[in-house]
Amino acid sequence: MKQYGHFSDNGREYIITDPNTPRPWFNYLFNRAYHALVSHTGGGFSYFKDPKTYRILRYDHVHTDRPGRYLYMRDNKTADVWSANWQPICKPFEKYKCVHGLGYSVLSSENKGIASDITYFVAQEDPIEIQIIKIKNISNEARDISLFPFVEIVSGDIELETVYRNIISLYSQAEYDKNAGALIARKKRFHYKQQGVGVTFFAMEGEMNGYETNKEKFFGRYSSVQSPVMVAEGKLSDTDVEGEDMVGVFQKNIILKAGEEIEFVVSLGYTPDRKAAKELKEKFTAVKLAKAELERVKKYFSEAIERITVKTPNKDFDLMTNIWGKYQLYAITCWRGTSQYHGGEGGLGYRDTAQDIEGLLSVQMDLAMEKLEKILYWQYNSGHAVSGFSDIEGSWDKDEDGLTMKSDVAVWLPYTVISYVKETGNVDFLKKVFKFHNGGEATVYEHILRAVRFLYKERGEHGLPLLRKADWNDAYDHVGIKLKGESVWLGMALARACKQMQELAWFLGDTDVAGEMKEKYDTLYKIINKEGWDGQWYLAAFNDYGKKMGSKENKEGKVPLNSQTWALLSGVAPQDKMESILDKIDNYLDTPYGPVLFAPAYTEFDEQIGRVTAFAPGTKENAAVFSHACAFKIVADCTIGRGDEAIETFARLCPMSEAKQDHEKYKGEPFVWAEYVVGPSNKHNYGEGTFNWNTGTTPWMFIAATEWILGARRDFEGLRIDPCLPKDWKECSIKRPFRGAVYEIEIKNPEGLNKGVKEVVVDGKKIEGNLIKAHGDGKVHKVSVLMGK
């Protein structure tokens, strides 16, 4: 059983001890304007505001993890060449270590008497990434070394760059700007619709002994990033470039006595023009300035993860909830539209963003509100919503009303707005007016009412919501394209929205809407249990031709997970169906990694269903252990008091779980949630974790942990304390901010129950029931919870 790293003692760092990991293991370094994806060898890419339009660095693929932010090194006495990162030359080191931390990564290596440390981070606010480089001579003799910091620059639209490589490179221009003290690279503006085009700058502190911007010259004829000829020869050409592929390379020649060291800064950023580039470069490109900014970044993330903390008998639960899952949540809420697996798509998915907001509300309200206002705007005035959006290029939808696109997007808006009201108590927000992106405006309350009414109106022959191009499962992309297919799952999701809207309306005293929503819910309840029930479990959908999906009539895709879990989440499953659907979840679908999305897997393409049937069995939405769907299952378990089953699935999803200890098999980063684990129907890669970082699993697992398992749950009238624990958790705790105060909640479970609160004591006084009225006094309040019957 091979392992490549481990957590630090306090869990805030993951330490990689072997560079030859089965996949590149990434850290996300970011602020709200800039994102750098940095692997354990410095691979990855960066962008400003949008990963498609304002891509800064090129990146090929995770299988090569190239190119990246490299430091080539040359011993000028022996002509020996290596890279401080290990990649891309990949010579063996005497020592190697990569530390991924919260907001920073540090790469350390030793080779033939030279020690190097490279600290990568992104400034707290400015669009710049910084490398603090330290080189030390640990040999017994003086050393003559040349250093070559390197990046490969795109500075433009990566989608166009990829599709029209031979044309787009003709717009490239890079040169060394003496006034700015930096390499300046850009794509010339070549189309009237282009937004303001800025510049990429690459700078180095201290004396420079040469530079290079021409990729072909730097690599050499028929050579590559692995063996650049100019490094081998020890001399750059000081060449500017126009109309060709661009790199940024500096040369720094140093002579170090035995035991001597040098420290300097390299910076990379994106600005509107050269003047701004010079100013930003001068702000950080010095060791003292860079180190001060690094401390600011570390302090920021340290404070951010401490806003909610938990303590339980399960250390993996604590590690993911307190640190890495939370850091992942911050990262993807800022930058959901890309990952190392698919770097060319710009913008943000609508449903993704809505769920990220819901997860973030309790810990980072200002960022959550920034995103919430965006998704209100990107709703259609019909009540429907766009599939996704870009601040730069607008809607992803190709039609004017989105009616041929994804069907489920609007259902997530009511959940998110209602969660905001519960978290803050701010009902006045519902009166605030926001525009629809296609014209008109309405209050927030009207926005969410339109969402529910639109979905309810747009139903098909069986009375279930139309599926269109996809419901939650994006790969059901042919199921409803003739606008006849219907989604059983979306019927459940809509029923859940109606139920939440009914509760909101009652809280507001709006009896008309409360009555309307109850009527809609009751209608959907009957339809789902009549049309959506297949005898032992709930169907997934009906396609355009009336064919059942997720049915005993199917040979493949027979039993769907989401329809069973959302029957519980929405409350539409009557008691007499409960045993049967739980049997399918717990037995038919389960694996050591969690339940698969459905079973059996599809093996041949079905044009009446879509690309889900063409994926390799066990991958993506074709019967993988899809972590997002497993997170739904955990919350569903808690709604019916299944604490043992909830924590068992939570534990299996953790990236450091027992089944994932063999890193050669699991492959993905062992410190963040994976989108999915390849399922048992795949005979080659079963157990491999992939598409890490960018996944809707992240907000749902945080909500599952804090609001459902530990039960510190927002409600309209206050903070409801309603844990759902495994029987063997006798004590646990959660510290949680809520409406201007902090609650330190200690939970005792002496009888080993799953659910049931016997007593709640706040600041030494027993309260009636389990609802704590918000204090709003800026103080810390001690809460003691005794579980019991």
Side-chain angles (χ1 to χ4, degrees), residues 31 40 67 435 468 482:
N31 58 38
H40 69 292
K435 292 179 180 178
R468 306 181 194 282
K482 296 183 183 295

Side-chain angles (χ1 to χ4, degrees), residues 544-689:
D544 282 325
Y545 305 92
K547 182 181 176 181
K548 294 178 181 178
M549 293 173 53
S551 166
K552 60 180 179 287
E553 299 172 12
N554 308 137
K555 290 178 66 175
E556 298 174 338
K558 183 184 292 186
V559 180
L561 175 63
N562 279 354
S563 296
Q564 316 321 310
T565 57
W566 279 75
L568 303 175
L569 286 170
S570 62
V572 301
Q575 196 62 40
D576 63 351
K577 291 181 170 63
M578 201 76 76
E579 183 179 350
S580 181
I581 65 174
L582 291 176
D583 173 63
K584 297 301 172 289
I585 294 169
D586 295 342
N587 298 309
Y588 187 77
L589 297 172
D590 204 26
T591 78
Y593 302 94
V596 294
L597 191 55
F598 56 74
Y602 293 106
T603 56
E604 294 293 336
F605 178 64
D606 185 334
E607 64 181 19
Q608 295 182 7
I609 297 174
R611 61 190 166 101
V612 65
T613 61
F615 286 137
T619 66
K620 219 37 173 105
E621 289 94 341
N622 189 12
V625 179
F626 215 90
S627 304
H628 195 181
C630 294
F632 298 156
K633 184 262 183 192
I634 294 168
V635 177
D637 281 333
C638 291
T639 64
I640 57 171
R642 298 205 321 157
D644 292 301
E645 290 82 358
I647 201 63
E648 182 179 20
T649 303
F650 195 106
R652 291 181 180 186
L653 255 63
C654 284
M656 66 293 289
S657 72
E658 183 178 351
K660 299 170 184 174
Q661 288 297 302
D662 186 348
H663 292 165
E664 281 294 337
K665 181 179 180 182
Y666 180 63
K667 296 185 180 179
E669 291 94 336
F671 49 88
V672 291
W673 303 114
E675 182 184 69
Y676 69 91
V677 170
V678 177
S681 54
N682 190 292
K683 59 185 178 184
H684 302 293
N685 299 312
Y686 174 40
E688 178 181 333

Side-chain angles (χ1 to χ4, degrees), residues 54-71:
Y54 294 128
R55 174 66 71 82
I56 296 169
L57 297 184
R58 190 183 309 283
Y59 185 68
D60 293 334
H61 197 267
V62 291
H63 289 297
T64 61
D65 192 30
R66 296 177 185 169
R69 312 150 184 85
Y70 300 137
L71 178 64

Side-chain angles (χ1 to χ4, degrees), residues 31-298:
N31 58 38
R32 297 189 197 182
Y34 192 100
H35 185 195
L37 295 83
V38 179
S39 81
H40 69 292
T41 61
F45 60 92
S46 308
Y47 59 91
F48 169 69
K49 287 190 176 179
D50 184 83
K52 173 186 174 293
T53 310
Y54 294 128
R55 174 66 71 82
I56 296 169
L57 297 184
R58 190 183 309 283
Y59 185 68
D60 293 334
H61 197 267
V62 291
H63 289 297
T64 61
D65 192 30
R66 296 177 185 169
R69 312 150 184 85
Y70 300 137
L71 178 64
Y72 295 101
M73 306 178 75
R74 184 182 191 273
D75 185 318
N76 293 323
K77 181 179 179 181
T78 64
D80 187 31
V81 171
W82 68 98
S83 46
N85 310 66
W86 187 69
Q87 280 270 34
I89 295 177
C90 300
K91 284 187 177 179
F93 285 146
E94 283 115 46
K95 288 185 179 179
Y96 162 89
K97 181 172 71 172
C98 172
V99 175
H100 281 328
L102 308 178
Y104 64 93
S105 291
V106 183
L107 269 156
S108 304
S109 64
E110 291 182 13
N111 183 56
K112 297 181 180 178
I114 299 295
S116 62
D117 292 285
I118 309 172
T119 301
Y120 299 96
F121 68 99
V122 168
Q124 189 173 330
E125 287 122 10
D126 293 291
I128 184 172
E129 62 181 278
I130 299 161
Q131 300 175 34
I132 303 174
I133 298 172
K134 183 166 72 173
I135 308 296
K136 184 174 183 178
N137 179 2
I138 56 174
S139 72
N140 295 319
E141 60 183 10
R143 302 293 291 274
D144 181 358
I145 305 290
S146 290
L147 308 175
F148 300 89
F150 163 91
V151 290
E152 184 172 348
I153 300 170
V154 174
S155 197
D157 189 311
I158 191 63
E159 183 179 72
L160 292 176
E161 181 94 8
T162 303
V163 177
Y164 305 107
R165 183 72 176 272
N166 60 322
I167 298 296
I168 301 301
S169 65
L170 300 178
Y171 306 126
S172 297
Q173 187 179 59
E175 69 277 335
Y176 184 75
D177 185 318
K178 290 183 180 179
N179 180 56
L183 293 175
I184 300 292
R186 69 185 182 112
K187 287 285 193 300
K188 292 180 180 177
R189 189 167 182 263
F190 57 87
H191 194 275
Y192 75 96
K193 287 186 178 179
Q194 274 183 283
Q195 303 293 322
V197 177
V199 301
T200 295
F201 70 88
F202 186 52
M204 180 178 71
E205 180 185 12
E207 184 180 355
M208 177 187 73
N209 300 106
Y211 72 87
E212 188 59 55
T213 65
N214 187 303
K215 176 182 171 180
E216 186 175 9
K217 285 187 176 182
F218 178 68
F219 286 172
R221 193 173 297 174
Y222 303 118
S223 190
S224 71
V225 70
Q226 190 166 5
S227 53
V229 67
M230 284 189 177
V231 174
E233 294 173 351
K235 180 65 177 174
L236 302 182
S237 71
D238 297 350
T239 299
D240 298 335
V241 71
E242 189 162 13
E244 298 180 69
D245 284 350
M246 302 179 289
V247 293
V249 193
F250 292 112
Q251 181 168 349
K252 182 183 282 290
N253 300 330
I254 58 172
I255 295 176
L256 294 177
K257 298 174 185 177
E260 190 178 6
E261 68 181 38
I262 183 175
E263 199 167 19
F264 63 99
V265 169
V266 170
S267 60
L268 174 73
Y270 194 93
T271 56
D273 52 40
R274 293 167 186 263
K275 181 175 180 289
K278 181 176 187 290
E279 291 170 355
L280 189 52
K281 170 244 174 184
E282 291 175 349
K283 187 175 179 180
F284 295 110
T285 313
V287 170
K288 185 177 180 181
L289 298 172
K291 286 185 174 180
E293 185 65 10
L294 175 60
E295 290 309 307
R296 283 186 72 217
V297 170
K298 288 181 176 180

